[in-house]
Every structure is written in structure tokens, then in C-alpha cells.
Amino acid sequence: MRERLEQLNKEALEELCHIGNSQLVQDLRVKYLGKKGRLTEILRGMGKLSAEERPIIGQLANTVRENIEQKLEEVKVAIEKKEIEAKLQRESLDVTLPGRPIQVGNRHPLTLVIEQIEDVFLGMGFTVAEGFEVEQDYYNFEALNLPKDHPARDMQDSFYITEEILMRTHTSPVQARTMEKMEGEVPVKIICPGRVYRRDNDDATHSHVFTQIEGLMVGENVRMSDLKGVLLEFAQQMFGENAGIRLRPSFFPFTEPSAEVDVTCMCGGEGCKICKNTGWIEVLGSGMVHPRVLEMAGYDSEKYTGFAFGLGVERIAMKKYDIDDIRQFYTNDLRFLKQFNRV
Ligand code: PHE
């Protein structure tokens, strides 16, 4: 048995010296050391040995196993190293080839401006509310004091889907929805950015789809002066601390009194193309929430008052970035959009 073990040791080490790939190493491991391998086969004869011989042969068998294992490991490492080297030689890599740049997107100018405006109002304690672009006639008009056949509906030519459903013409329906949801709780202090739709012929200053941000504040003792203060703060944060605002009397069915609000033009009042030489740019409609609108949404108009405004995001973006055609925002010309990479 001793001779058989020594013979096995010799043969295995010999054979291992002559193999050339890593799969064969595995095969030889099975052949010599596997469950049905040569070593196991020899050790099956252990039972026939005398008590004195058994530990000696056992020890020898262990040494043989260790020798073979060690050699297997050595050969395996050597072969793998060789294989990697061969592979590296085969697959040469030309690191001088120019890379393929990945196009990085950037935010749309309207998104940038919406985020800036949101920041300003969040800083004044407003929260952002969401509404629906496809809206019910009730919220878009009726709940805003514009019953069916009211002549003021003509101010906003609409895309109707059915008799009762339309593409919202302004973000004001969010006022009605928010108040309804808040069930008479105050204060209500929200802004709502979103797309609105009106039937209009597109040109440099008109688009049938555009973006508004609605603002609404309802509570006790909310006054017109609060509206002025909030809008002045907004104008100065957006356009610099020298910016001023001007309120002109106007009419909206859902506010009383109502005002159009202008912001001083960047030309500093000297007159330019953007302000059409007036020194002012009209940016929003506003007013004190009409008592009927409060009542319809479940608020006691004797106890609570509110102000609301709706501003045009495109107007503000055009003023801020000196853009002279509103259609630029919607035609997705990359040459235009890429300019806003880092503003
Ligand atoms: N919804 C009005 C418009 O689109 C703007 C507005 C909002 C006016 C809130 C007053 C109060 O023209």
C-alpha cells in the first residue's frame, strides 16, 4: 500500500507538470482526489491493515493528498496567469481612440423659471398645489363665478372635450378645488404651476398652450395690501431689488376688485422692444377673491377674505432671458434649449 501511495504521488506530480489549460487541472483533481478518484480507491484497502500500520499509512496518505493539492494549486495559478497574458496579447486596446461623449440633458427654461418662482413663494410660506389639465366646466368656470352663458367666458376661448369637460383655460380651478378640499380651514396659502390651453392663433406673443402659476391666500384680514406686498417681494426676488410693480384696475369675474400687475422692464423704464417703450411689462392678473367664490367653496365670506393672482410664466421667462418669440418654448429646437444649460 505504501508503494501504491508513493507511486500515486509520483504519477500525479509528473502528470501535473505537463498540462496546459485550467480545465485539465480540474479534471486531474477529480481523477486523483475526487470521491471516486485514485487516492480514495487506495484508501479503501485501509481496513485490511494492522493496527500499527494504519496510522503510518494514514499519515502518508495525508501527505500525498497535500502534495497533490499543493501542486494542483501551483499549476492552476501558473496556467491562469499564462491564460490572462495570452488574452491581453490577443485583445489589444487602443487607448488613443477618442471617447464617445454622452449627451447630457438640461432643464427646460420654463421649468427653471417655475422652480425659481416656486422658491420665492415657498420662502413666503406658500405650498405648491396640483390641479388637472383636463378639467370640469364646473371648476374652470362655474365655481369661479362664471355661470354658463356668462359673457366673460368669451375672455378665454376654450377647447371643449365634452359639454362638461374642457382643457383648463387657466390655473384658477385649483383655487376652487383646494378650498373645497380644505373644508373651511385657514389659512389657505398655495401656488399652483401648470399648463393651460386657449384657442388662439399662435404668433410671437401668443400660444394656444402656455403656463401659469396661480396664487391664493385666504384667511382672516387678508387685504389688498398683502397682495401688493407679496407681489413686490416676488418681483424684487425675480428681477432685482430695484424692480417695482404697478397695479392697474381690471376685471375678472372671480375677483373684486381686480388688478392687472405690471413689473418694471429691464430697460429701467427707458423703453425697449420687450416693453413696447412703456417701461412696464404686464405679468399677471390678480384681485381679492370674490365673496361668491369663497361661499361656493364653503368659506364664510363675512369672516374670511383672500387674494388671488395668476401669472404667465412665459412672459416672465421672456423678460428674464430676453426671448422674443413665445413659440421657442414649444418647438423644442435644441439650439435654443441648450443655451439654458447653466443659467
Ligand atoms: N385666471 C386669470 C387669467 O387666466 C388670472 C387671474 C388669476 C386673475 C387669479 C385674478 C386672480 O387670466
Side-chain angles (χ1 to χ4, degrees):
M1 199 153 175
R2 178 190 293 271
E3 284 99 67
R4 284 179 69 199
L5 282 170
E6 276 163 1
Q7 179 64 22
L8 179 71
N9 192 18
K10 206 172 133 215
E11 256 178 55
L13 298 190
E14 174 93 18
E15 192 169 4
L16 269 164
C17 287
H18 295 106
I19 57 166
N21 77 52
S22 44
Q23 179 54 41
L24 288 176
V25 177
Q26 188 52 27
D27 292 348
L28 289 187
R29 182 187 298 280
V30 174
K31 175 173 167 190
Y32 289 106
L33 305 179
K35 262 196 211 148
K36 292 178 185 157
R38 302 259 311 268
L39 184 65
T40 321
E41 196 191 307
I42 297 172
L43 293 182
R44 252 189 228 124
M46 287 277 270
K48 293 191 195 117
L49 296 175
S50 68
E52 297 87 62
E53 265 177 324
R54 209 172 289 152
I56 300 166
I57 296 294
Q59 209 171 17
L60 179 63
N62 276 343
T63 315
V64 170
R65 172 183 293 280
E66 272 163 29
N67 286 346
I68 298 177
E69 241 157 28
Q70 202 186 339
K71 189 73 183 169
L72 276 165
E73 196 52 36
E74 261 169 42
V75 171
K76 189 173 149 221
V77 171
I79 288 177
E80 276 173 0
K81 201 171 153 212
K82 251 195 233 152
E83 284 175 349
I84 289 172
E85 271 164 16
K87 202 168 170 205
L88 281 176
Q89 290 238 314
R90 249 182 291 127
E91 300 170 3
S92 64
L93 184 70
D94 183 355
V95 290
T96 63
L97 270 179
R100 286 183 211 167
I102 293 170
Q103 288 218 355
V104 179
N106 56 275
R107 278 176 299 172
H108 193 281
L110 289 177
T111 308
L112 288 171
V113 172
I114 290 172
E115 284 174 3
Q116 283 170 16
I117 296 174
E118 281 179 357
D119 273 352
V120 172
F121 284 102
L122 290 176
M124 288 192 270
F126 286 74
T127 52
V128 176
E130 295 263 326
F132 302 111
E133 287 179 34
V134 180
E135 187 52 283
Q136 296 172 29
D137 182 277
Y138 175 77
Y139 289 107
N140 194 81
F141 288 130
E142 280 184 54
L144 297 171
N145 198 28
L146 271 150
K148 291 225 159 74
D149 302 322
H150 190 292
R153 284 196 178 203
D154 293 346
M155 285 165 79
Q156 303 182 352
D157 245 343
S158 326
F159 289 111
Y160 272 90
I161 291 168
T162 68
E163 269 199 18
E164 294 301 327
I165 295 175
L166 72 159
M167 303 305 290
R168 69 175 172 197
T169 55
H170 50 180
T171 41
S172 301
V174 187
Q175 291 185 26
R177 284 187 175 276
T178 306
M179 284 193 279
E180 208 178 79
K181 223 187 282 165
M182 299 223 3
E183 296 179 331
E185 290 281 308
V186 287
V188 181
K189 253 181 125 182
I190 53 145
I191 55 162
C192 164
R195 285 191 173 185
V196 300
Y197 302 80
R198 290 189 199 169
R199 284 172 56 170
D200 220 334
N201 292 323
D202 293 359
D203 62 24
T205 52
H206 295 87
S207 169
H208 63 282
V209 47
F210 60 101
T211 316
Q212 283 191 334
I213 294 185
E214 190 78 11
L216 173 71
M217 176 167 172
V218 178
E220 267 178 84
N221 294 321
V222 176
R223 293 159 303 206
M224 192 95 179
S225 52
D226 296 314
L227 170 68
K228 271 178 80 175
V230 164
L231 293 180
L232 181 62
E233 178 66 23
F234 157 73
Q236 294 182 338
Q237 285 206 34
M238 284 302 284
F239 303 112
E241 51 190 65
N242 295 326
I245 58 167
R246 158 176 103 166
L247 272 67
R248 286 179 288 111
S250 183
F251 170 78
F252 297 102
F254 29 89
T255 46
E256 183 57 37
S258 305
E260 303 268 2
V261 180
D262 301 339
V263 176
T264 39
C265 183
M266 314 235 266
C267 65
E270 280 165 28
C272 70
K273 198 174 66 188
I274 300 182
C275 62
K276 299 193 182 103
N277 290 323
T278 62
W280 295 94
I281 297 177
E282 184 195 322
V283 292
L284 59 88
S286 67
M288 299 306 291
V289 181
H290 196 291
R292 292 204 47 185
V293 174
L294 290 171
E295 295 287 343
M296 271 188 280
Y299 279 77
D300 181 352
S301 66
E302 296 284 325
K303 193 163 168 210
Y304 299 121
T305 48
F307 67 71
F309 58 86
L311 58 85
V313 178
E314 284 81 355
R315 278 273 174 87
I316 290 174
M318 286 165 86
K319 172 171 157 64
K320 212 171 157 69
Y321 300 127
D322 205 0
I323 296 163
D324 60 6
D325 194 327
I326 194 171
R327 289 168 293 195
Q328 294 278 24
F329 294 117
Y330 295 101
T331 40
N332 291 332
D333 182 338
L334 285 180
R335 289 167 304 177
F336 169 75
L337 296 173
K338 275 188 177 159
Q339 297 174 67
F340 300 92
N341 222 347
R342 301 199 199 289
V343 289

